[in-house]
């Protein structure tokens, strides 16, 4: 019997998120939209006048905050409604309108930072004497730090207007990838024909049946290959936009511009790549072990995901997944677990895949709502890790929203990945410790090693790819499909080593990675995993003091720079040690897996 993907209406209400907590209805969204349009028009009340008095500056800052929160609610609701089913035209239109409104708001707000920077130092110091402005100290300091990269009022307004066009490659990719692309059909382990989706692709790549894995691999890349020149054009346009905005803002490179917002030195990025290169021999040792255990004469890219301890069945329903996550996170204390329990019962989570639903997983929401989590749960161990990962994001948002004003509640991605991957670290440690079955232990260690491979090695490979394609555009080289595929293919060979056959299809993998449209994002997964490994170890070893530091970190939002927040929590990411410590854990786990499998 063919497994048919359900429509949105066929998904049980209790398995859907409750977006009514943002807006009770689309009509309420429309009302707020019109109110926000009026609020945008109030810009003229403040433009050119904020230095006149502290009263006017405070009022302007409050207007800015209210406008930003309104746009945040409008855009988040529309986009998340669209994500439920990308085929629904009403939410396509609402998302487009929300994006346009966001651009209009950005244009209206564009006067503020250039005008703030033009205030003479002595006058600005005088204004900041007002106690009502103490809240904005870090905000002001962050703005003034980047003074040389802010343009004139007219230029900033022009860039704000152009941002919607600059987002076009990402928007086009999303629609092509999520709404229009059909991957095709494959045969499952029983010979039944199944629809291949981005949501179930990894499940088939973990199949014990090699023919199923190969079929899924070939079918997926055949689909992307049919449009390879279009994917290249999209990515090329996106990278060009990155480089354009960096150049216009007087940065030496797009990478420097991207890292500057977090005040992260380029050396942190380069050190990550260098440290991972140093440990590539450990990765090769792992792939060699995989080839031996799977008893394959050739290890292909479609053999990378299948569990090495293949006889262990790990079909896990969602209720069981929740229980595993809750138990593993007990070291974080009762307060954390109470919020987690509330999340399950309060419409935070959209659990299962349906026709047209956006692939993958994320945590999102607004300051005035609770956080939300989009999943495409597949009853695999990997899906359990995705659940705890996204709940890490969600609870980080919850605690930040509770402790911080809207101004500082939003945290940087650099620290966001720490909260999510720390949850994963605690989950795997719990699972390994709570089994006496060596087969299961080997299976779990294999899964932990896969977390390292996917989150440290693979994301660093992505980061190196991003660095190099941006550098190519900055040297006026064209990112054709052939160029991108050639570069990606060589990186894949370097990262996976001599015991893996780099199938020609893997050269196209870049074409399906949505994170490449949010430049210099993915390296934060690797640095975040490293920081999380260290913090989890502190929590398990120290107990309450480490938990207290960590919960303070979760509640700190964006009240300081990411490097500083992590330093207060207990790790210094300006040093290579956290990354190397994580990679040493990887090496020791490879040793343990070798020992377990030899004794098996």
């Amino acid at each position: 019997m063919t497994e048919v993907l359900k429509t949105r209406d066929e998904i049980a209400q209790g398995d859907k998120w409750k977006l009514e907590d943002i807006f009770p209805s689309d009509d309420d969204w429309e009302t707020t939209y019109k109110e926000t349009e009026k609020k945008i028009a109030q810009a003229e009340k403040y433009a050119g006048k904020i230095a006149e008095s502290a009263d006017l500056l405070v009022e302007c800052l409050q207007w800015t905050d209210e406008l930003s929160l309104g746009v945040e609610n409008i855009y988040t609701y529309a986009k998340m409604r669209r994500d439920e089913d990308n085929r629904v035209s009403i939410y396509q239109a609402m998302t487009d309108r929300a994006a346009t409104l966001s651009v209009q708001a950005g244009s209206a707000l564009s006067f503020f930072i250039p005008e703030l920077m033009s205030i003479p130092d002595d006058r600005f110091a005088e204004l900041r004497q007002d106690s009502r402005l103490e809240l904005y100290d870090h905000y002001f300091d962050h703005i003034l730090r980047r003074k040389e990269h802010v343009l004139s009022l007219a230029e900033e307004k022009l860039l704000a207007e152009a941002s919607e066009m600059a987002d076009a490659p990402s928007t086009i990719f999303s629609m092509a990838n999520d709404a229009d692309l059909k991957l095709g059909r494959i045969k499952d382990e029983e010979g039944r024909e199944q629809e291949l989706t981005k949501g179930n692709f990894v499940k088939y790549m973990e199949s014990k049946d090699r023919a199923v894995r190969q079929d899924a691999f070939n079918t997926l890349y055949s689909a992307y290959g049919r449009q390879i020149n279009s994917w290249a054009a999209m990515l090329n346009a996106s990278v060009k936009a990155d480089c354009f905005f960096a150049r216009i803002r007087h940065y030496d490179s797009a990478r420097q511009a991207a890292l500057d917002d977090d005040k992260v030195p380029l050396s942190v990025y380069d050190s990550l790549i260098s440290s991972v290169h140093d440990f590539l021999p450990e990765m090769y040792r792992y792939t060699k072990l995989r080839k031996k255990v799977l008893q394959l004469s050739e290890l292909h890219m479609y053999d990378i995901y299948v569990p090495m301890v293949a006889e262990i069945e790990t079909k896990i329903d969602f209720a069981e997944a929740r229980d595993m996550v809750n138990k593993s996170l007990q070291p974080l204390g009762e307060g954390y677990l109470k919020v987690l329990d509330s999340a399950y019962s309060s419409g935070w989570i959209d659990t299962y895949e349906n026709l047209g639903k956006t692939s993958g997983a994320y945590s999102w929401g607004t300051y005035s709502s609770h956080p939300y989590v989009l999943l495409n749960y597949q009853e695999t161990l990997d899906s359990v890790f995705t659940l705890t990962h996204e709940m890490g994001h969600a609870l980080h948002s919850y605690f930040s929203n509770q402790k911080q004003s809207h101004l500082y509640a939003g945290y940087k991605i650099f620290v966001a990945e720490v909260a999510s991957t720390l949850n994963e670290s605690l989950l795997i440690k719990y699972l390994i410790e709570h089994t006496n079955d060596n087969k299961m232990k080997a299976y779990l260690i294999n899964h932990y090693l896969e977390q390292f491979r996917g989150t440290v090695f693979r994301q660093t490979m992505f980061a190196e790819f991003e660095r190099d394609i941006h550098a190519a555009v900055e040297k006026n080289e064209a990112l054709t499909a052939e160029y991108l595929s050639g570069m990606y293919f060589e990186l894949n060979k370097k990262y996976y080593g001599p015991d893996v056959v780099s199938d020609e299809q893997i050269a196209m993998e870049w074409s399906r990675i949505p994170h490449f449209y949010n430049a210099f994002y993915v390296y934060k997964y690797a640095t975040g995993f490293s920081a999380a490994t260290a913090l989890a170890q502190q929590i398990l070893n120290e107990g309450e003091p480490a938990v207290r530091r960590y919960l303070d970190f979760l509640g700190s939002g964006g009240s300081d720079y990411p490097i500083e927040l992590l330093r207060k929590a207990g790790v210094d990411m300006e040093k290579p040690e956290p990354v190397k410590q994580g990679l040493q854990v990887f090496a020791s786990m490879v040793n343990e897996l070798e020992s377990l499998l030899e004794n098996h």
Side-chain angles (χ1 to χ4, degrees):
M1 184 177 177
T2 301
E3 184 181 311
V4 179
L5 200 59
K6 290 182 178 181
T7 63
R8 184 74 183 170
D9 290 342
E10 292 172 321
I11 302 293
Q13 197 62 39
D15 295 324
K16 300 177 188 178
W17 54 25
K18 191 179 176 186
L19 297 185
E20 291 81 3
D21 292 340
I22 304 178
F23 289 108
S25 69
D26 293 351
D27 288 341
D28 292 289
W29 179 91
E30 192 69 48
T31 298
T32 302
Y33 190 99
K34 291 173 181 175
E35 291 172 352
T36 304
E37 283 183 314
K38 292 177 183 176
K39 197 170 286 290
I40 287 172
Q42 295 172 9
E44 61 185 29
K45 180 179 178 182
Y46 305 108
K49 304 170 187 173
I50 61 173
E52 290 180 6
S53 69
D55 286 343
L56 205 56
L57 179 56
V58 169
E59 190 180 319
C60 180
L61 285 163
Q62 291 171 344
W63 165 77
T64 297
D65 192 61
E66 290 168 5
L67 177 58
S68 298
L69 185 55
V71 172
E72 178 183 309
N73 285 329
I74 289 164
Y75 184 80
T76 303
Y77 177 86
K79 179 62 167 63
M80 289 172 72
R81 280 294 187 205
R82 193 184 86 178
D83 286 344
E84 293 176 344
D85 186 345
N86 283 275
R87 304 169 303 164
V88 179
S89 60
I90 185 174
Y91 294 123
Q92 292 176 7
M94 283 172 64
T95 301
D96 188 62
R97 288 177 62 205
T100 300
L101 188 75
S102 179
V103 170
Q104 291 170 348
S107 179
L109 294 167
S110 63
F111 77 89
F112 182 76
I113 291 177
E115 190 172 325
L116 192 76
M117 289 184 172
S118 70
I119 300 174
D121 291 345
D122 55 348
R123 175 56 179 159
F124 196 25
E126 185 180 340
L127 289 169
R128 290 180 73 171
Q129 298 285 327
D130 192 298
S131 60
R132 292 172 295 173
L133 291 171
E134 288 177 5
L135 169 67
Y136 300 93
D137 280 348
H138 176 65
Y139 174 70
F140 288 150
D141 291 343
H142 178 58
I143 290 172
L144 296 175
R145 181 180 66 81
R146 298 186 296 162
K147 194 169 185 177
E148 63 182 296
H149 302 296
V150 176
L151 309 180
S152 69
L153 177 59
E155 288 169 325
E156 286 292 338
K157 189 174 179 65
L158 189 62
L159 287 184
E161 295 283 358
S163 64
E164 188 171 20
M165 289 185 291
D167 287 340
S170 176
T171 303
I172 295 167
F173 174 83
S174 179
M175 294 307 295
N177 192 46
D178 293 320
D180 297 336
L181 183 67
K182 301 297 180 188
L183 299 181
R185 304 182 78 80
I186 65 168
K187 288 188 177 179
D188 66 14
E189 292 85 349
E190 284 76 40
R192 300 173 303 187
E193 201 172 72
Q194 304 287 2
E195 180 183 355
L196 183 66
T197 69
K198 290 180 288 294
N200 66 25
F201 173 66
V202 171
K203 181 178 76 171
Y204 289 121
M205 291 293 283
E206 292 176 346
S207 172
K208 291 180 286 185
D209 189 328
R210 199 179 192 208
V212 171
R213 302 199 300 269
Q214 187 174 4
D215 192 9
F217 183 83
N218 290 337
T219 299
L220 179 108
Y221 285 109
S222 291
Y224 280 93
R226 286 191 291 272
Q227 298 169 212
I228 195 67
N229 292 301
S230 296
W231 305 121
M234 293 175 213
L235 186 54
N236 185 37
S238 182
V239 173
K240 281 187 173 180
D242 297 335
C243 296
F244 166 77
F245 282 104
R247 185 171 64 252
I248 290 297
R249 292 195 178 282
H250 312 301
Y251 285 102
D252 294 335
S253 66
R255 187 163 63 108
Q256 184 191 45
L259 270 61
D260 187 46
D261 189 48
D262 288 341
K263 201 181 177 185
V264 172
L266 290 178
S267 60
V268 171
Y269 197 103
D270 292 329
S271 177
L272 168 68
I273 294 173
S274 176
S275 295
V276 170
H277 283 181
D278 288 344
F279 278 79
L280 284 177
E282 299 299 332
M283 178 63 168
Y284 302 162
R285 196 158 61 91
Y286 174 53
T287 56
K288 186 174 183 178
L289 176 63
R290 171 174 284 276
K291 180 179 177 181
K292 178 183 176 182
V293 170
L294 295 178
Q295 298 180 332
L296 297 172
S297 58
E298 288 186 337
L299 185 71
H300 286 258
M301 290 306 300
Y302 49 79
D303 300 317
I304 292 297
Y305 290 86
V306 60
M308 288 158 69
V309 188
E311 63 268 30
I312 299 292
E313 295 292 338
T314 57
K315 189 170 183 181
I316 304 163
D317 66 29
F318 191 67
E320 187 181 355
R322 285 173 43 178
D323 186 58
M324 291 164 69
V325 168
N326 284 18
K327 287 177 178 176
S328 71
L329 298 180
Q330 285 181 357
L332 297 180
E334 290 184 11
Y336 190 97
L337 293 174
K338 185 177 179 181
V339 178
L340 189 63
D341 285 337
S342 175
Y344 294 131
S345 59
S346 304
W348 288 29
I349 305 171
D350 205 82
T351 309
Y352 299 109
E353 186 179 14
N354 59 254
L355 280 168
K357 184 176 175 180
T358 292
S359 61
Y362 65 66
S363 174
W364 203 9
T366 78
Y367 184 74
S368 53
S369 77
H370 55 73
Y372 289 90
V373 168
L374 179 139
L375 300 174
N376 283 277
Y377 191 78
Q378 295 290 327
E379 297 194 333
T380 63
L381 187 58
D382 193 57
S383 285
V384 183
F385 277 92
T386 299
L387 171 63
T388 199
H389 181 102
E390 297 304 338
M391 295 315 294
H393 285 309
L395 268 71
H396 192 175
S397 296
Y398 175 85
F399 285 114
S400 289
N401 291 349
Q402 292 293 308
K403 298 287 186 181
Q404 301 293 331
S405 65
H406 180 234
L407 179 67
Y408 296 130
Y411 47 80
K412 300 295 186 180
I413 293 168
F414 192 97
V415 295
E417 294 309 323
V418 173
S420 53
T421 50
L422 181 135
N423 277 18
E424 291 190 67
S425 183
L426 291 177
L427 175 60
I428 195 66
K429 289 176 186 296
Y430 169 83
L431 293 175
I432 290 172
E433 287 173 4
H434 285 79
T435 180
N436 295 317
D437 184 340
N438 281 344
K439 292 180 185 177
M440 178 57 81
K441 188 170 290 188
Y443 182 91
L444 292 166
I445 291 172
N446 174 208
H447 191 86
Y448 195 27
L449 290 170
E450 281 299 287
Q451 298 301 304
F452 272 98
R453 183 187 65 78
T455 309
V456 180
F457 289 97
R458 188 167 184 252
Q459 301 301 329
T460 301
M461 181 178 77
F462 286 172
E464 189 168 352
F465 180 70
E466 282 193 302
R467 183 188 68 180
D468 293 350
I469 61 175
H470 282 81
V473 167
E474 285 160 352
K475 294 175 186 173
N476 296 319
E477 296 178 21
L479 301 184
T480 63
E482 183 180 4
Y483 184 98
L484 290 164
S485 296
M487 178 185 288
Y488 195 91
F489 188 72
E490 291 304 316
L491 279 172
N492 196 80
K493 285 202 298 185
K494 178 166 74 174
Y495 275 76
Y496 283 94
D499 284 287
V500 179
V501 176
S502 287
D503 303 275
E504 61 181 28
Q505 295 97 323
I506 202 65
M508 297 184 289
E509 187 175 37
W510 59 267
S511 66
R512 69 181 190 91
I513 308 300
H515 286 321
F516 289 157
Y517 293 84
N518 185 1
F520 304 108
Y521 171 108
V522 294
Y523 88 98
K524 300 171 189 180
Y525 283 119
T527 53
F529 192 98
S530 302
T533 301
L535 288 172
Q537 204 60 45
Q538 290 174 18
I539 287 166
L540 293 171
N541 291 340
E542 296 179 33
E544 180 58 30
V547 171
R548 191 164 53 249
R549 288 197 307 270
Y550 179 65
L551 293 179
D552 286 345
F553 162 77
L554 291 184
S556 63
S559 59
D560 204 343
Y561 292 111
I563 297 284
E564 294 305 320
L565 293 176
L566 286 173
R567 194 174 280 124
K568 292 172 190 172
V571 290
D572 188 350
M573 297 309 295
E574 287 198 81
K575 297 177 180 177
E577 281 76 15
V579 174
K580 290 188 174 181
Q581 286 168 6
L583 291 166
Q584 284 161 357
V585 170
F586 175 82
S588 68
M589 283 289 179
V590 173
N591 288 338
E592 189 170 351
L593 185 60
E594 282 178 333
S595 176
L596 283 167
L597 293 177
E598 284 171 5
N599 295 328
H600 174 50

